[in-house]
């Protein structure tokens, strides 16, 4: 089936991309290498309006017209679009040349200096090392029960709310359940208090930050515009809630009055981590930033990909039948257990293919820290790079018939020989998504449980259009009818 955006295959590369003599941070020849081809743009504003209208569309067009490395101007800011696995691999693995965005990164307004937004390499490294053990595959498996409880509640909620054949906004439902999962895993018994962080509040904050990211002409944050004030009110509520829970947990830990059930949640673990050299833990501010980062990075991304997966399944009956057969055979009429996941590989392949076509974090930004040459072109210090996963996942040197939805691309055999950066929805290099195992386990579980209970059919006439913000959402939600599967007990009335 064809997705909403129907990009034509890129034209043969206008920009040849020779392998640099030294991969990554070489400045050899920087003075002589030409600048990357520049996308057509307006005087003064440059590509600001095109980016604001649809950044993915603008960058897709730039890629087709000019090749894998394209220069854009956003007012006074120079930005380069990176659209091949080869160049992306260079950029994402060389953090000495290509760093995180600096203090002007608008995402910092929400996430502070958590792992995702910190540009101080030393403190990022210290916190990443401390937090890594929390997010290993084995450690994450201890959160399966919380995820399964949320999933069961979601199935029950849908059964109580919808009759078979009713129209459901699958995007809204997926946001609801993934927010519940991250809340339970982070705060367990305090989960009710996180209801203040509604999906609408998160969306308002994310849109605000993204708008500032692509529009250098945004009014200063301290101006009392209605939009600034709405954003600040949302952030105040989030902070009050988070600092409140942190304080209570610290107090309880000091009086040895740990929460009753004994099973540590993500917040307990964040409060317990210690620097191996100094023995010091994280400050309240650091814990706050990591908590909000986990909420910000860890629920919408998974919700969106699940939404796209159900959309793709509804247009590909054969794939749908196969995944239904798999889950029916393994699960019968029960909810998935941890052990079941390994027996349902096709369901995971469906999710990975959805992540290819609709990478939920489609653009990974970097700041060029020193003059360098990338793909044969001079890239000056101070320029921003936008690694475009949406284009990379459709690159016709690496993907046959790239617009076709085909989970067979992710069998063990099909993965072999593929460029290691041709599929990288979780990024690559030292900043590889720390929540990858969390996301994959959660998505696998939800996909299997929901396919077992429901068949979602896309409502004819409902418009499906990408909206690339920091994430890649369906602009008008995802209207689908929910049909209880025969034999699935406890589903829609
Ligand atoms: C389908 C789901 C997800 C996708 C597609 C995704 C994607 C990404 C990508 C592309 C990056 C790299 C950013 C960069 O290099 O600048 C990243 C980083 C990150 N992600 Fe995820 N993510 C997902 C789920 C999660 C979850 C569930 C969590 C937490 C529980 C999480 C937490 C983070 C954090 C903290 C970072 C920053 C890592 C660092 O720089 O050290 N993500 N994610």
């Amino acid at each position: 089936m064809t997705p909403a955006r129907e990009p034509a295959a890129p034209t043969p590369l206008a920009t040849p991309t020779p392998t640099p003599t030294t991969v990554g941070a070489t400045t050899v020849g920087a003075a002589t290498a030409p600048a990357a081809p520049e996308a057509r743009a307006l005087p003064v504003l440059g590509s600001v309006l095109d980016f604001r209208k649809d950044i993915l569309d603008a960058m897709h067009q730039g890629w087709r017209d000019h090749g894998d490395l394209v220069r854009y101007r956003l007012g006074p800011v120079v930005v380069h679009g990176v659209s091949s696995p080869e160049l992306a691999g260079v950029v994402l693995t060389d953090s000495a040349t290509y760093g995180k965005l600096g203090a002007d990164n608008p995402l910092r307004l929400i996430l502070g200096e958590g792992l995702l937004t910190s540009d101080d390499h030393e403190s990022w490294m210290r916190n990443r090392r401390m937090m890594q053990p929390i997010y290993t595959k084995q450690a994450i498996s201890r959160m399966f029960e919380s995820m399964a409880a949320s999933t069961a509640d979601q199935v029950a909620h849908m059964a109580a709310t919808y009759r078979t054949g009713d129209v459901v906004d699958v995007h809204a439902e997926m946001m609801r359940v993934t927010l519940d999962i991250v809340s339970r895993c982070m705060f367990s018994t305090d989960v009710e208090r996180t209801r203040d962080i509604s999906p609408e509040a998160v969306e308002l904050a994310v849109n605000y930050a993204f708008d500032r990211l692509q529009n250098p002409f945004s009014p200063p944050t301290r101006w009392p515009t209605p939009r600034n004030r709405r954003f600040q009110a949302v952030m105040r509520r989030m902070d009050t809630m988070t600092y409140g829970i942190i304080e209570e947990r610290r107090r309880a830990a000091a009086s040895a009055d740990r929460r009753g059930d004994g099973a540590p949640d993500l917040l307990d673990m964040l409060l317990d981590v210690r620097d191996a050299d100094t023995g010091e833990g994280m400050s309240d501010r650091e814990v706050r930033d990591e908590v909000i980062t986990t909420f910000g990075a860890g629920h919408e991304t998974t919700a969106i990909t699940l939404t796209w997966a159900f959309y793709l399944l509804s247009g590909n009956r054969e794939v749908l039948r196969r995944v239904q057969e798999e889950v029916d055979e393994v699960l019968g009429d029960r909810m998935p257990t941890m052990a079941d996941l390994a027996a349902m590989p096709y369901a995971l392949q469906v999710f990975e293919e959805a992540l290819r076509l609709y990478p939920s974090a489609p653009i990974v930004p970097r700041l060029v820290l020193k003059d360098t040459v990338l793909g044969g072109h001079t890239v000056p210090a101070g320029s921003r790079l936008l690694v475009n996963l949406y284009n990379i996942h459709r690159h016709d040197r690496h993907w046959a018939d790239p617009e076709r939805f085909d989970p067979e691309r992710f069998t063990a055999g099909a993965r072999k020989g593929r460029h290691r950066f041709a599929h990288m929805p979780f990024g690559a290099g030292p900043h590889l998504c720390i929540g990858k195992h969390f996301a994959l386990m959660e998505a696998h579980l939800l996909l299997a449980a929901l396919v077992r209970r429901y068949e979602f059919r896309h409502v004819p006439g409902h418009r499906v259009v990408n909206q690339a913000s920091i994430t890649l959402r369906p602009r008008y939600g995802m209207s689908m009818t929910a049909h209880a599967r025969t034999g699935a007990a406890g589903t829609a009335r």
Side-chain angles (χ1 to χ4, degrees), residues 50-333:
D50 288 344
F51 271 45
R52 284 199 76 188
K53 189 162 157 228
D54 187 336
I55 186 170
L56 281 188
D57 214 32
M59 291 188 71
H60 197 89
Q61 194 59 44
W63 175 45
R64 289 173 53 199
D65 292 347
H66 301 290
D68 292 344
L69 188 71
V70 183
R71 193 165 183 270
Y72 300 91
R73 276 185 309 101
L74 302 179
V77 180
V78 175
V79 168
H80 285 81
V82 178
S83 297
S84 77
E86 294 83 356
L87 297 183
V90 172
V91 170
L92 296 182
T93 54
D94 178 4
S95 44
T97 308
Y98 308 99
K100 290 292 212 148
L101 298 190
D104 58 342
N105 179 357
L107 269 182
R108 283 224 193 150
L109 298 169
I110 309 174
L111 309 179
E113 292 180 52
L115 287 185
L116 195 62
T117 39
S118 168
D119 70 331
D120 173 348
H121 191 73
E122 288 303 306
S123 74
W124 166 79
M125 181 97 90
R126 170 181 170 269
N127 287 357
R128 175 99 194 193
R129 280 208 191 113
M130 286 199 286
M131 288 170 62
Q132 193 68 48
I134 300 177
Y135 286 97
T136 60
K137 204 168 180 178
Q138 203 190 2
I140 289 302
S141 66
R142 289 198 288 270
M143 287 171 214
F144 184 85
E145 291 313 320
S146 298
M147 292 185 185
S150 264
T151 306
D153 283 358
Q154 175 66 18
V155 170
H157 154 79
M158 290 187 62
T161 313
Y162 304 109
R163 288 174 188 280
T164 194
D166 276 359
V167 175
V168 175
D169 182 349
V170 171
H171 178 230
E173 292 297 340
M174 294 306 104
M175 289 289 278
R176 192 186 130 82
V177 62
T178 58
L179 188 59
D180 190 58
I181 285 177
V182 78
S183 304
R184 288 192 203 204
C185 291
M186 178 63 79
F187 293 124
S188 52
T189 49
D190 294 314
V191 69
E192 279 309 317
R193 293 171 59 188
T194 66
R195 302 291 177 232
D196 268 359
I197 309 184
S198 65
E200 294 76 26
V202 173
E203 187 174 341
L204 184 145
V206 169
N207 284 346
Y208 177 88
F210 185 69
D211 206 41
R212 301 187 74 81
L213 194 63
Q214 58 180 347
N215 180 10
F217 302 107
S218 305
T221 48
R222 56 183 187 286
W223 288 9
T225 64
R227 199 170 184 206
N228 280 347
R229 286 218 296 262
R230 274 198 301 275
F231 173 75
Q232 280 147 12
V234 164
M235 291 315 301
R236 260 197 309 276
R237 275 208 306 280
M238 254 186 228
D239 279 352
T240 305
M241 179 208 83
T242 312
Y243 280 122
I245 298 178
I246 292 173
E247 194 196 320
E248 284 166 27
R249 289 279 178 98
R250 287 216 197 268
R251 222 180 310 127
S255 62
D257 178 23
R258 193 138 193 159
R259 291 175 309 104
D261 62 11
D265 56 26
L266 282 172
L267 179 58
D268 289 328
M269 293 188 238
L270 285 172
L271 291 169
D272 277 353
V273 293
R274 293 288 175 270
D275 185 315
D277 298 330
T278 63
E280 273 175 29
M282 290 190 192
S283 67
D284 282 1
R285 173 81 211 194
E286 285 176 309
V287 174
R288 176 264 175 221
D289 288 353
E290 298 304 350
V291 166
I292 304 288
T293 296
T294 305
F295 268 85
H299 88 282
E300 197 190 352
T301 41
T302 311
I304 291 172
T305 316
L306 281 165
T307 305
W308 290 119
F310 285 117
Y311 168 68
L312 290 162
L313 285 174
S314 118
N316 291 271
R317 309 294 300 170
E318 219 174 285
V319 176
L320 178 64
R321 287 290 157 253
R322 231 185 113 181
V323 73
Q324 285 174 340
E325 276 165 29
E326 183 184 79
V327 300
D328 291 356
E329 195 182 316
V330 174
L331 299 180
D333 194 31

